[in-house]
Coordinates of all heavy atoms in Angstrom, one line a residue:
M12 N -39.2 -74.3 221.1 CA -37.9 -74.9 221.2 C -37.0 -73.8 221.9 O -36.8 -72.8 221.2 CB -37.3 -75.5 219.9 CG -36.0 -76.1 220.0 SD -35.7 -77.5 220.8 CE -36.8 -78.7 220.2
E13 N -36.4 -74.2 222.9 CA -35.4 -73.3 223.7 C -34.0 -73.2 222.8 O -33.5 -74.4 222.5 CB -35.2 -73.7 224.9 CG -34.2 -72.9 225.8 CD -34.0 -73.4 227.2 OE1 -34.7 -74.3 227.6 OE2 -33.0 -72.9 227.8
R14 N -33.5 -72.1 222.6 CA -32.3 -71.9 221.9 C -31.2 -71.8 223.0 O -31.2 -71.1 223.9 CB -32.2 -70.7 221.2 CG -33.2 -70.8 220.0 CD -33.2 -69.4 219.2 NE -31.9 -68.9 218.7 CZ -31.5 -68.9 217.5 NH1 -32.3 -69.5 216.6 NH2 -30.4 -68.5 217.1
T15 N -30.3 -72.9 222.9 CA -29.2 -72.9 223.9 C -27.8 -72.5 223.3 O -27.8 -72.1 222.1 CB -29.1 -74.4 224.4 OG1 -28.6 -75.3 223.3 CG2 -30.3 -74.9 225.1
W16 N -26.8 -72.5 224.1 CA -25.5 -72.1 223.6 C -24.8 -73.1 222.8 O -23.7 -72.8 222.2 CB -24.7 -71.7 224.8 CG -24.7 -72.7 225.9 CD1 -25.5 -72.9 226.9 CD2 -23.6 -73.8 225.9 NE1 -25.2 -74.1 227.5 CE2 -24.1 -74.6 227.1 CE3 -22.5 -74.2 225.2 CZ2 -23.3 -75.7 227.5 CZ3 -21.9 -75.3 225.5 CH2 -22.2 -76.1 226.6
K17 N -25.2 -74.4 222.8 CA -24.5 -75.4 222.2 C -24.3 -75.3 220.6 O -23.1 -75.4 220.2 CB -25.1 -76.9 222.6 CG -25.1 -77.2 223.9 CD -26.0 -78.3 224.4 CE -26.1 -78.3 225.8 NZ -27.5 -78.9 226.1
P18 N -25.2 -75.1 219.9 CA -24.8 -74.9 218.5 C -24.1 -73.7 218.2 O -23.4 -73.7 217.2 CB -26.4 -74.9 217.7 CG -27.2 -75.5 218.8 CD -26.6 -75.1 220.1
T19 N -24.4 -72.7 218.9 CA -23.6 -71.4 218.8 C -22.1 -71.6 219.0 O -21.2 -71.2 218.2 CB -24.1 -70.3 219.6 OG1 -25.6 -70.1 219.4 CG2 -23.4 -68.9 219.3
T20 N -21.8 -72.3 220.1 CA -20.5 -72.6 220.4 C -19.8 -73.6 219.4 O -18.7 -73.3 219.0 CB -20.4 -73.3 221.7 OG1 -21.0 -72.4 222.7 CG2 -19.0 -73.5 222.3
A21 N -20.5 -74.6 219.0 CA -20.1 -75.6 217.9 C -19.8 -74.7 216.7 O -18.7 -74.9 216.0 CB -21.1 -76.6 217.7
G22 N -20.6 -73.8 216.3 CA -20.4 -73.0 215.1 C -19.2 -72.0 215.1 O -18.4 -71.9 214.3
I23 N -19.0 -71.4 216.2 CA -17.8 -70.6 216.4 C -16.6 -71.4 216.4 O -15.5 -71.0 215.9 CB -18.0 -69.8 217.8 CG1 -19.1 -68.7 217.6 CG2 -16.8 -69.1 218.1 CD1 -19.6 -68.1 218.9
L24 N -16.6 -72.5 217.2 CA -15.3 -73.3 217.2 C -15.0 -73.9 215.9 O -13.9 -73.9 215.4 CB -15.5 -74.5 218.1 CG -15.5 -74.2 219.6 CD1 -15.9 -75.3 220.4 CD2 -14.2 -73.6 220.1
S25 N -16.0 -74.2 215.0 CA -15.8 -74.8 213.7 C -15.2 -73.6 212.8 O -14.3 -73.9 211.9 CB -17.1 -75.2 213.1 OG -17.5 -76.5 213.8
I26 N -15.9 -72.5 212.9 CA -15.3 -71.3 212.1 C -14.0 -71.0 212.4 O -13.0 -70.8 211.4 CB -16.2 -70.1 212.1 CG1 -17.6 -70.4 211.5 CG2 -15.6 -68.9 211.6 CD1 -18.7 -69.4 211.8
V27 N -13.5 -71.0 213.6 CA -12.1 -70.7 214.0 C -11.2 -71.7 213.5 O -10.2 -71.4 213.0 CB -12.0 -70.5 215.6 CG1 -10.6 -70.2 216.0 CG2 -12.8 -69.1 215.9
A28 N -11.6 -72.9 213.8 CA -10.7 -74.1 213.3 C -10.6 -74.0 211.8 O -9.5 -74.3 211.2 CB -11.2 -75.4 213.7
G29 N -11.7 -73.8 211.0 CA -11.6 -73.7 209.6 C -10.8 -72.5 209.2 O -10.0 -72.7 208.1
F30 N -10.8 -71.4 209.8 CA -9.9 -70.3 209.4 C -8.5 -70.7 209.6 O -7.7 -70.4 208.7 CB -10.3 -69.1 210.4 CG -9.4 -68.0 210.3 CD1 -9.4 -67.1 209.2 CD2 -8.3 -67.6 211.2 CE1 -8.6 -66.1 209.0 CE2 -7.5 -66.7 211.1 CZ -7.5 -65.9 209.9
F31 N -8.1 -71.4 210.6 CA -6.7 -71.8 210.7 C -6.3 -72.9 209.7 O -5.3 -73.0 209.2 CB -6.4 -72.4 212.2 CG -6.3 -71.4 213.2 CD1 -7.2 -71.3 214.3 CD2 -5.3 -70.3 213.2 CE1 -7.0 -70.3 215.3 CE2 -5.2 -69.4 214.1 CZ -6.1 -69.4 215.2
G32 N -7.3 -73.7 209.3 CA -7.1 -74.7 208.2 C -6.8 -74.0 206.9 O -6.1 -74.3 206.1
V33 N -7.6 -72.9 206.7 CA -7.4 -72.2 205.4 C -6.2 -71.4 205.4 O -5.5 -71.4 204.3 CB -8.6 -71.3 205.1 CG1 -8.5 -70.3 204.0 CG2 -10.0 -72.1 204.9
I34 N -5.8 -70.8 206.5 CA -4.6 -70.1 206.5 C -3.4 -71.0 206.4 O -2.4 -70.7 205.6 CB -4.4 -69.3 207.9 CG1 -5.5 -68.2 207.8 CG2 -3.0 -68.8 208.0 CD1 -5.4 -67.2 206.8
G35 N -3.5 -72.1 207.0 CA -2.5 -73.2 206.9 C -2.3 -73.6 205.5 O -1.1 -73.9 204.9
G36 N -3.4 -73.9 204.7 CA -3.4 -74.4 203.4 C -2.7 -73.3 202.5 O -1.9 -73.6 201.6
I37 N -3.1 -72.0 202.7 CA -2.6 -71.0 201.9 C -1.0 -70.8 202.1 O -0.2 -70.7 201.2 CB -3.1 -69.7 202.1 CG1 -4.7 -69.7 201.6 CG2 -2.5 -68.5 201.6 CD1 -5.5 -68.5 202.1
L38 N -0.6 -71.0 203.4 CA 0.8 -70.9 203.7 C 1.6 -72.1 203.1 O 2.7 -72.0 202.6 CB 1.1 -70.9 205.2 CG 0.8 -69.6 205.9 CD1 0.9 -69.7 207.4 CD2 1.5 -68.5 205.4
L39 N 1.0 -73.2 203.2 CA 1.6 -74.5 202.5 C 1.7 -74.4 201.0 O 2.7 -74.7 200.3 CB 0.8 -75.7 202.8 CG 1.4 -77.0 202.5 CD1 2.8 -77.2 203.1 CD2 0.5 -78.1 202.9
A40 N 0.7 -73.6 200.4 CA 0.7 -73.5 199.0 C 1.8 -72.5 198.5 O 2.6 -72.7 197.6 CB -0.7 -73.0 198.4
V41 N 1.9 -71.3 199.3 CA 3.0 -70.3 199.0 C 4.3 -71.0 199.2 O 5.3 -70.7 198.4 CB 2.6 -69.1 199.9 CG1 3.9 -68.3 199.8 CG2 1.5 -68.4 199.4
L42 N 4.6 -71.7 200.4 CA 5.8 -72.3 200.6 C 6.2 -73.3 199.5 O 7.3 -73.4 199.2 CB 5.9 -72.9 202.1 CG 5.8 -71.9 203.2 CD1 5.8 -72.5 204.6 CD2 7.1 -70.9 203.1
G43 N 5.3 -74.1 199.1 CA 5.5 -75.1 198.1 C 5.8 -74.4 196.8 O 6.6 -74.9 196.1
A44 N 5.2 -73.3 196.4 CA 5.6 -72.5 195.1 C 6.9 -71.9 195.3 O 7.7 -72.1 194.4 CB 4.5 -71.5 194.9
V45 N 7.1 -71.3 196.3 CA 8.5 -70.7 196.5 C 9.5 -71.7 196.7 O 10.6 -71.6 196.1 CB 8.4 -69.6 197.7 CG1 9.9 -69.3 198.0 CG2 7.5 -68.5 197.4
G46 N 9.3 -72.7 197.6 CA 10.3 -73.8 197.7 C 10.6 -74.6 196.6 O 11.6 -75.2 196.4
G47 N 9.5 -74.6 195.8 CA 9.7 -75.5 194.5 C 10.8 -75.0 193.6 O 11.7 -75.6 193.0
G48 N 10.9 -73.5 193.5 CA 12.0 -73.0 192.7 C 13.3 -73.1 193.3 O 14.3 -73.5 192.8
I49 N 13.4 -73.0 194.7 CA 14.6 -73.2 195.4 C 15.2 -74.8 195.3 O 16.2 -75.1 195.0 CB 14.5 -72.9 196.9 CG1 14.2 -71.3 196.9 CG2 15.7 -73.3 197.7 CD1 13.9 -70.8 198.3
L50 N 14.1 -75.7 195.5 CA 14.3 -77.0 195.5 C 14.8 -77.6 194.1 O 15.5 -78.6 193.9 CB 13.4 -77.9 196.1 CG 13.1 -77.7 197.6 CD1 11.8 -78.4 198.1 CD2 14.2 -78.2 198.4
G51 N 14.2 -76.8 193.2 CA 14.4 -77.2 191.7 C 16.0 -77.0 191.4 O 16.5 -77.7 190.7
T52 N 16.5 -75.8 191.8 CA 17.9 -75.5 191.7 C 18.8 -76.5 192.3 O 20.0 -76.6 192.0 CB 18.2 -74.0 192.1 OG1 18.0 -74.0 193.5 CG2 17.4 -73.2 191.4
L53 N 18.3 -77.2 193.5 CA 19.0 -78.1 194.1 C 19.0 -79.5 193.6 O 19.6 -80.5 194.2 CB 18.7 -78.2 195.7 CG 18.9 -76.7 196.4 CD1 18.4 -77.0 197.9 CD2 20.4 -76.5 196.5
G54 N 18.1 -79.8 192.5 CA 18.1 -81.0 192.0 C 16.8 -81.8 192.4 O 16.8 -83.0 192.2
L55 N 16.0 -81.2 193.2 CA 14.8 -82.0 193.7 C 13.5 -81.1 193.2 O 12.9 -80.5 194.0 CB 14.7 -81.8 195.3 CG 16.0 -82.5 195.9 CD1 16.0 -82.2 197.4 CD2 15.9 -84.0 195.7
P56 N 13.3 -81.3 191.8 CA 12.2 -80.5 191.1 C 10.8 -80.8 191.7 O 9.9 -80.0 191.6 CB 12.4 -80.7 189.8 CG 13.0 -82.0 189.6 CD 13.9 -82.1 190.9
G57 N 10.6 -82.1 192.1 CA 9.2 -82.4 192.4 C 8.6 -82.1 193.8 O 7.5 -82.1 194.0
L58 N 9.5 -81.8 194.8 CA 9.1 -81.6 196.1 C 8.2 -80.3 196.3 O 7.2 -80.4 197.1 CB 10.2 -81.6 197.1 CG 11.0 -82.9 197.2 CD1 12.1 -82.6 198.2 CD2 10.1 -84.0 197.8
G59 N 8.5 -79.2 195.7 CA 7.8 -78.0 195.8 C 6.4 -78.2 195.2 O 5.3 -77.8 195.8
G60 N 6.3 -79.0 194.1 CA 4.9 -79.2 193.5 C 4.1 -80.1 194.4 O 2.8 -79.9 194.5
M61 N 4.7 -81.1 195.1 CA 4.0 -82.0 195.9 C 3.5 -81.1 197.2 O 2.3 -81.4 197.6 CB 4.8 -83.1 196.4 CG 5.1 -84.1 195.3 SD 5.7 -85.7 195.9 CE 7.3 -85.1 196.5
A62 N 4.2 -80.2 197.6 CA 3.8 -79.5 198.9 C 2.7 -78.5 198.4 O 1.8 -78.3 199.2 CB 5.0 -78.6 199.3
A63 N 2.7 -77.9 197.3 CA 1.6 -77.1 196.8 C 0.4 -77.9 196.5 O -0.6 -77.4 196.9 CB 2.1 -76.3 195.5
A64 N 0.5 -79.1 196.0 CA -0.6 -79.9 195.9 C -1.2 -80.4 197.2 O -2.5 -80.5 197.3 CB -0.3 -81.1 195.0
A65 N -0.4 -80.7 198.2 CA -0.8 -81.1 199.5 C -1.7 -79.8 200.2 O -2.5 -80.2 201.1 CB 0.2 -81.5 200.3
A66 N -1.6 -78.7 199.8 CA -2.2 -77.5 200.3 C -3.6 -77.6 200.1 O -4.3 -77.0 200.9 CB -1.7 -76.1 199.7
A67 N -4.1 -78.4 199.1 CA -5.5 -78.5 198.9 C -6.3 -79.1 200.1 O -7.4 -79.0 200.3 CB -5.8 -79.4 197.7
V68 N -5.7 -80.1 200.9 CA -6.2 -80.8 201.8 C -6.8 -79.9 203.1 O -7.8 -80.0 203.3 CB -5.3 -81.9 202.3 CG1 -6.0 -82.6 203.5 CG2 -5.0 -82.9 201.3
P69 N -5.8 -79.0 203.6 CA -6.3 -78.2 204.6 C -7.2 -77.1 204.1 O -8.1 -76.6 204.8 CB -5.1 -77.6 205.3 CG -3.9 -77.9 204.3 CD -4.3 -79.1 203.4
L70 N -7.0 -76.8 202.9 CA -8.0 -75.7 202.3 C -9.4 -76.3 202.2 O -10.3 -75.6 202.7 CB -7.5 -75.3 200.9 CG -6.4 -74.2 200.9 CD1 -6.0 -74.0 199.5 CD2 -7.0 -73.0 201.4
I71 N -9.6 -77.5 201.8 CA -11.0 -78.0 201.6 C -11.5 -78.3 202.9 O -12.7 -77.9 203.1 CB -10.8 -79.5 200.7 CG1 -10.4 -79.0 199.3 CG2 -12.0 -80.2 200.8 CD1 -10.1 -80.3 198.5
F72 N -10.8 -78.8 203.9 CA -11.3 -79.1 205.1 C -11.6 -77.9 205.9 O -12.6 -77.9 206.6 CB -10.4 -80.1 206.0 CG -10.4 -81.4 205.5 CD1 -9.2 -82.2 205.2 CD2 -11.6 -82.2 205.5 CE1 -9.2 -83.5 204.8 CE2 -11.7 -83.4 205.2 CZ -10.4 -84.1 204.9
G73 N -10.8 -76.8 205.7 CA -11.1 -75.6 206.4 C -12.2 -74.9 205.8 O -13.1 -74.4 206.5
I74 N -12.6 -75.0 204.5 CA -13.7 -74.3 203.9 C -15.0 -75.1 204.4 O -15.9 -74.5 204.7 CB -13.7 -74.3 202.4 CG1 -12.5 -73.4 202.0 CG2 -14.9 -74.0 201.8 CD1 -12.2 -73.4 200.5
I75 N -14.9 -76.4 204.4 CA -16.1 -77.1 204.9 C -16.3 -76.8 206.4 O -17.5 -76.8 206.8 CB -15.9 -78.7 204.7 CG1 -15.8 -79.0 203.2 CG2 -17.0 -79.6 205.3 CD1 -15.4 -80.5 202.9
A76 N -15.4 -76.7 207.2 CA -15.6 -76.3 208.5 C -16.2 -75.0 208.7 O -17.0 -74.9 209.6 CB -14.1 -76.5 209.4
I77 N -15.8 -74.1 207.9 CA -16.4 -72.8 208.0 C -17.8 -72.8 207.5 O -18.7 -72.1 208.2 CB -15.6 -71.7 207.1 CG1 -14.2 -71.5 207.7 CG2 -16.3 -70.4 206.9 CD1 -13.2 -70.7 206.9
V78 N -18.1 -73.5 206.4 CA -19.5 -73.5 206.0 C -20.3 -74.2 207.0 O -21.5 -73.8 207.2 CB -19.6 -74.2 204.5 CG1 -21.0 -74.5 204.2 CG2 -18.9 -73.3 203.6
G79 N -19.9 -75.3 207.6 CA -20.6 -75.9 208.6 C -20.8 -75.2 209.8 O -21.9 -75.2 210.4
G80 N -19.8 -74.4 210.3 CA -19.9 -73.5 211.3 C -21.1 -72.4 211.2 O -21.8 -72.1 212.0
V81 N -21.1 -71.9 209.9 CA -22.2 -70.9 209.6 C -23.5 -71.6 209.8 O -24.4 -70.9 210.3 CB -22.0 -70.4 208.2 CG1 -23.1 -69.6 207.7 CG2 -20.7 -69.4 208.2
Y82 N -23.7 -72.9 209.2 CA -25.0 -73.4 209.3 C -25.2 -73.8 210.8 O -26.4 -73.9 211.2 CB -25.0 -74.7 208.4 CG -25.3 -74.3 207.0 CD1 -24.4 -73.9 205.9 CD2 -26.8 -74.2 206.7 CE1 -24.8 -73.6 204.8 CE2 -27.1 -73.9 205.4 CZ -26.1 -73.6 204.4 OH -26.4 -73.2 203.2
A83 N -24.3 -74.1 211.6 CA -24.6 -74.3 213.0 C -25.1 -73.1 213.7 O -25.9 -73.0 214.5 CB -23.3 -74.9 213.6
L84 N -24.5 -72.0 213.4 CA -25.0 -70.7 214.0 C -26.4 -70.3 213.5 O -27.2 -69.9 214.2 CB -24.0 -69.4 213.5 CG -22.6 -69.5 214.1 CD1 -21.7 -68.4 213.4 CD2 -22.8 -69.4 215.6
K85 N -26.8 -70.7 212.2 CA -28.1 -70.6 211.8 C -29.0 -71.6 212.3 O -30.3 -71.4 212.0 CB -28.1 -70.5 210.2 CG -27.4 -69.3 209.5 CD -27.6 -69.5 208.1 CE -26.8 -68.4 207.4 NZ -27.0 -68.4 205.9
R86 N -28.6 -72.7 212.8 CA -29.3 -73.9 213.2 C -30.0 -74.4 212.1 O -31.3 -74.8 212.1 CB -30.3 -73.4 214.3 CG -29.4 -73.1 215.8 CD -30.2 -72.5 216.7 NE -29.7 -72.6 218.1 CZ -28.9 -71.7 218.4 NH1 -28.5 -70.6 217.7 NH2 -28.3 -71.7 219.6
K87 N -29.4 -74.5 211.0 CA -30.0 -75.2 209.8 C -29.1 -76.4 209.4 O -27.8 -76.3 209.6 CB -30.1 -74.2 208.6 CG -30.8 -73.0 208.9 CD -32.1 -73.0 208.3 CE -32.7 -71.6 208.5 NZ -34.1 -71.6 208.9
I88 N -29.6 -77.4 208.8 CA -28.9 -78.6 208.3 C -27.9 -79.0 209.2 O -26.7 -78.8 209.1 CB -28.2 -78.1 206.8 CG1 -29.2 -77.5 205.8 CG2 -27.8 -79.4 206.2 CD1 -28.5 -77.1 204.5
W89 N -28.3 -79.9 210.2 CA -27.7 -80.4 211.2 C -26.5 -81.3 210.6 O -25.4 -81.3 211.1 CB -28.4 -81.3 212.2 CG -27.7 -81.8 213.2 CD1 -27.1 -81.3 214.3 CD2 -27.3 -83.2 213.2 NE1 -26.5 -82.2 215.1 CE2 -26.5 -83.5 214.5 CE3 -27.3 -84.3 212.4 CZ2 -25.8 -84.5 214.8 CZ3 -26.7 -85.5 212.8 CH2 -25.9 -85.7 214.0
G90 N -26.7 -82.0 209.7 CA -25.7 -82.9 209.0 C -24.5 -82.1 208.5 O -23.3 -82.4 208.7
L91 N -24.7 -80.9 207.8 CA -23.7 -80.1 207.4 C -22.8 -79.5 208.6 O -21.7 -79.3 208.5 CB -24.2 -79.1 206.5 CG -23.2 -78.1 205.8 CD1 -22.1 -79.0 205.0 CD2 -23.9 -77.2 204.9
A92 N -23.7 -79.1 209.7 CA -22.9 -78.5 210.8 C -22.2 -79.6 211.5 O -21.0 -79.2 211.9 CB -24.0 -78.1 211.8
L93 N -22.6 -80.9 211.5 CA -21.7 -81.9 212.1 C -20.5 -82.1 211.2 O -19.4 -82.3 211.7 CB -22.5 -83.2 212.3 CG -22.0 -84.3 213.0 CD1 -21.6 -83.9 214.4 CD2 -22.7 -85.6 212.9
A94 N -20.7 -82.2 209.8 CA -19.6 -82.5 209.1 C -18.6 -81.4 209.1 O -17.3 -81.6 209.1 CB -20.1 -82.6 207.5
G95 N -19.0 -80.1 209.4 CA -18.0 -79.0 209.4 C -17.4 -79.1 210.8 O -16.1 -78.8 210.8
S96 N -18.0 -79.7 211.8 CA -17.3 -80.0 213.1 C -16.3 -81.0 212.9 O -15.2 -81.0 213.5 CB -18.3 -80.2 214.2 OG -19.2 -79.3 214.4
I97 N -16.6 -82.1 212.2 CA -15.6 -83.1 211.9 C -14.4 -82.6 211.1 O -13.3 -82.9 211.4 CB -16.3 -84.3 211.1 CG1 -17.4 -85.0 212.2 CG2 -15.2 -85.4 210.7 CD1 -18.2 -85.9 211.5
C98 N -14.6 -81.7 210.1 CA -13.5 -81.2 209.4 C -12.8 -80.2 210.3 O -11.5 -80.1 210.1 CB -14.1 -80.4 208.3 SG -14.8 -81.5 206.8
A99 N -13.4 -79.6 211.3 CA -12.6 -78.8 212.2 C -11.8 -79.5 213.0 O -10.6 -79.2 213.4 CB -13.7 -77.9 213.2
L100 N -12.2 -80.8 213.4 CA -11.4 -81.7 214.1 C -10.0 -82.1 213.4 O -8.9 -82.0 213.9 CB -12.0 -83.0 214.4 CG -11.3 -84.1 215.0 CD1 -10.9 -84.0 216.4 CD2 -12.0 -85.5 214.9
I101 N -10.2 -82.1 212.0 CA -8.9 -82.4 211.2 C -8.1 -81.3 211.1 O -6.8 -81.3 211.0 CB -9.4 -82.9 209.8 CG1 -10.2 -84.2 209.9 CG2 -8.2 -83.0 208.8 CD1 -10.9 -84.7 208.7
C102 N -8.6 -79.9 211.2 CA -7.9 -78.8 211.0 C -7.2 -78.5 212.3 O -5.9 -78.2 212.3 CB -8.7 -77.5 210.6 SG -9.5 -77.6 209.0
V103 N -7.8 -78.3 213.4 CA -7.3 -78.1 214.7 C -8.1 -79.1 215.7 O -9.3 -78.6 216.1 CB -7.6 -76.5 215.2 CG1 -7.0 -76.3 216.4 CG2 -7.0 -75.6 214.2
W104 N -7.5 -80.0 216.2 CA -8.0 -81.1 216.9 C -8.7 -80.6 218.2 O -9.7 -81.0 218.6 CB -7.1 -82.2 217.2 CG -6.0 -82.0 218.0 CD1 -4.8 -81.5 217.7 CD2 -5.9 -82.1 219.4 NE1 -4.0 -81.4 218.7 CE2 -4.6 -81.7 219.9 CE3 -6.8 -82.6 220.5 CZ2 -4.3 -81.7 221.3 CZ3 -6.4 -82.5 221.7 CH2 -5.2 -82.1 222.1
F105 N -8.1 -79.6 219.0 CA -8.6 -79.3 220.2 C -9.8 -78.4 220.1 O -10.4 -78.1 221.2 CB -7.4 -78.7 221.2 CG -6.7 -77.4 220.5 CD1 -7.2 -76.2 220.7 CD2 -5.5 -77.7 219.9 CE1 -6.5 -75.1 220.2 CE2 -4.8 -76.6 219.2 CZ -5.2 -75.3 219.4
L106 N -10.0 -77.8 218.9 CA -11.2 -77.1 218.6 C -12.2 -77.9 218.1 O -13.6 -77.7 218.3 CB -10.9 -75.8 217.8 CG -10.0 -74.7 218.3 CD1 -9.9 -73.8 217.2 CD2 -10.7 -74.1 219.6
G107 N -11.9 -78.9 217.4 CA -12.9 -79.8 216.7 C -13.5 -80.8 217.6 O -14.7 -81.0 217.4
I108 N -12.9 -81.3 218.7 CA -13.5 -82.2 219.6 C -14.6 -81.5 220.3 O -15.8 -82.2 220.2 CB -12.5 -82.8 220.5 CG1 -11.5 -83.7 219.8 CG2 -13.2 -83.6 221.6 CD1 -10.3 -84.2 220.7
P109 N -14.5 -80.4 220.9 CA -15.7 -79.8 221.6 C -16.8 -79.4 220.6 O -18.0 -79.4 220.7 CB -15.2 -78.7 222.3 CG -13.7 -78.5 221.9 CD -13.4 -79.6 221.2
A110 N -16.4 -79.0 219.2 CA -17.3 -78.5 218.3 C -18.3 -79.8 217.9 O -19.4 -79.7 217.7 CB -16.6 -78.1 217.0
I111 N -17.5 -81.0 217.8 CA -18.4 -82.2 217.5 C -19.3 -82.4 218.7 O -20.6 -82.8 218.4 CB -17.5 -83.4 217.2 CG1 -16.6 -83.2 216.0 CG2 -18.3 -84.7 217.2 CD1 -15.7 -84.2 215.8
I112 N -18.9 -82.4 219.7 CA -19.7 -82.8 221.1 C -20.9 -81.7 221.1 O -22.1 -82.3 221.2 CB -18.9 -82.7 222.3 CG1 -17.8 -83.9 222.3 CG2 -19.7 -82.8 223.5 CD1 -16.8 -83.7 223.3
F113 N -20.7 -80.5 220.9 CA -21.8 -79.5 220.9 C -22.7 -79.5 219.9 O -23.9 -79.4 220.1 CB -21.2 -78.1 221.2 CG -20.4 -77.9 222.5 CD1 -19.3 -77.0 222.4 CD2 -20.8 -78.4 223.6 CE1 -18.6 -76.8 223.6 CE2 -20.1 -78.2 224.8 CZ -18.9 -77.4 224.8
A114 N -22.2 -79.8 218.7 CA -23.1 -80.0 217.6 C -24.0 -81.2 217.7 O -25.2 -81.2 217.4 CB -22.4 -80.1 216.2
A115 N -23.5 -82.3 218.3 CA -24.3 -83.5 218.5 C -25.2 -83.3 219.8 O -26.4 -83.8 219.6 CB -23.2 -84.6 218.8
M116 N -24.8 -82.6 220.7 CA -25.7 -82.3 221.8 C -26.8 -81.3 221.4 O -27.9 -81.3 222.0 CB -24.9 -81.7 223.0 CG -24.0 -82.7 223.7 SD -22.9 -82.1 225.0 CE -24.2 -81.4 226.0
G117 N -26.7 -80.5 220.4 CA -27.7 -79.5 220.0 C -28.4 -79.8 218.9 O -29.2 -79.1 218.2
K118 N -28.4 -81.2 218.6 CA -29.2 -81.6 217.4 C -30.7 -81.3 217.3 O -31.3 -80.9 216.3 CB -29.0 -83.2 217.2 CG -29.7 -83.8 215.9 CD -29.7 -85.2 215.8 CE -30.3 -85.7 214.6 NZ -30.2 -87.2 214.5
K119 N -31.3 -81.3 218.5 CA -32.7 -81.0 218.6 C -33.1 -79.5 218.1 O -34.3 -79.3 217.9 CB -33.2 -81.3 220.0 CG -33.1 -82.6 220.4 CD -33.6 -82.8 221.9 CE -33.3 -84.2 222.3 NZ -33.5 -84.4 223.7
E120 N -32.2 -78.7 218.1 CA -32.4 -77.3 217.8 C -32.3 -76.9 216.4 O -32.7 -75.8 215.9 CB -31.4 -76.4 218.5 CG -31.6 -76.6 220.1 CD -30.5 -75.6 220.7 OE1 -30.4 -74.4 220.3 OE2 -29.9 -76.0 221.8
F121 N -32.0 -77.9 215.6 CA -31.7 -77.7 214.1 C -33.1 -77.9 213.4 O -33.9 -78.7 213.8 CB -30.8 -78.6 213.5 CG -29.3 -78.2 213.9 CD1 -28.9 -78.4 215.1 CD2 -28.6 -77.4 212.9 CE1 -27.5 -78.0 215.4 CE2 -27.3 -77.0 213.3 CZ -26.8 -77.2 214.6
A122 N -33.5 -77.0 212.4 CA -34.6 -77.2 211.7 C -34.6 -78.3 210.6 O -33.7 -78.6 210.2 CB -35.0 -75.9 211.0

């Protein structure tokens, strides 16, 4: 089986998008925690906690995108590589779309 650039490119795109998702989730959590104290003094105590809880979404999708990208680079578990590409789409859409396309095109190369 010939090794092409498609799974490698899909993996790199997924990892980069996942990195941005994780960073965005961390920033949202920090801003929610810091903003919760500020908003609490203004009489809006629940908004900071909701922002901190919403940080879990980009964190989870970012971690799945990174793990899927690693498996795409290894050319193992095509389903996880595709799931990582789909999560990359949720994190950063313009990196996720080509990641999905390249992961689907490179399916034959996965063990």
